[in-house]
Every structure is written in structure tokens, then in C-alpha cells.
Amino acid sequence: MRAVLYVSGPVTGMPDDNREAFEAAADELAACGYIVRIPHWDVRPGEKWPVAMRITLMAIIAQADGLAMFDGWERSEGAQLEAHVARSLMMPVKTVSQWAAQKRMARKAGAR
């Protein structure tokens, strides 16, 4: 079964809501074999922060097996909240690079 990862990082105040960085992270993780979700697929552009957070948190709770954080997430109040909720629910929280490296190592081990 493939793990579902929800990508988390800064959105508010970023050009185009940081869509390019989220899509790049989603592409990298999907290429590794993960099923990926990003907030831009769930939240309408211009949505108010509290509503956007409710939507993303519900998606994380209902759909994700883990959270994939990308650079700058520590400076994002929303990403910090998402990480807190995920950790509180015993979901793994790792960087995008850590998730990708984990999958590459598993593939190498399986090829032996």
C-alpha cells in the first residue's frame, strides 16, 4: 500500500501562494511512489486563513499517513499547526527530502 503524504509549508504572503514550491514537492514525492496531496488542491484561492486551515487539517486527519515539510515551514504558522496536529496523532513528520531518501533507500534494499 502506498503512503499518502500531505505537503506542508508556507503559503500566506508568498507569491501565488507558493504553488510552484508545493507542486515541485508533490512531483518529487510522486516520482518516489507516494500518493501526494497539497493544500492548493483543497483550498480556494483567497480563502480566509481560518477556513483554509480547517480544510487542510481535515484533509490531513482524513487522508494522510504522514506530513512532508519543505524548506521554510518553521516560519509558517499554518505549517507549524499542521505539524503539531500530525505529531499529536502519531503521524510521521519529515522533510520532503527525508521522505524521498527513505523511499530510495527502501528501493536499494529491495534490489539486493
Side-chain angles (χ1 to χ4, degrees):
M1 187 164 109
R2 296 187 319 161
V4 177
L5 300 180
Y6 200 91
V7 179
S8 181
V11 173
T12 303
M14 303 294 288
D16 194 28
D17 290 335
N18 216 7
R19 178 181 287 275
E20 188 175 317
F22 275 88
E23 289 180 351
D27 290 345
E28 179 180 355
L29 293 167
C32 291
Y34 295 107
I35 299 169
V36 185
R37 305 277 309 146
I38 66 171
H40 301 78
W41 299 340
D42 299 318
V43 179
R44 291 186 316 243
E47 191 66 75
K48 300 285 187 207
W49 190 85
V51 173
M53 290 310 304
R54 287 185 191 114
I55 292 167
T56 62
L57 290 170
M58 289 303 295
I60 290 166
I61 291 167
Q63 301 169 359
D65 298 309
L67 216 56
M69 316 302 281
F70 65 83
D71 292 342
W73 77 269
E74 300 93 343
R75 295 182 302 276
S76 166
E77 186 178 345
Q80 288 179 31
L81 179 58
E82 291 166 347
H84 174 76
V85 169
R87 286 185 179 120
S88 296
L89 297 174
M90 307 299 287
M91 290 180 186
V93 176
K94 303 176 187 179
T95 66
V96 170
S97 298
Q98 288 171 325
W99 283 108
Q102 177 180 316
K103 190 63 87 166
R104 284 191 296 272
M105 288 188 333
R107 284 185 181 154
K108 284 182 183 179
R112 292 183 184 157

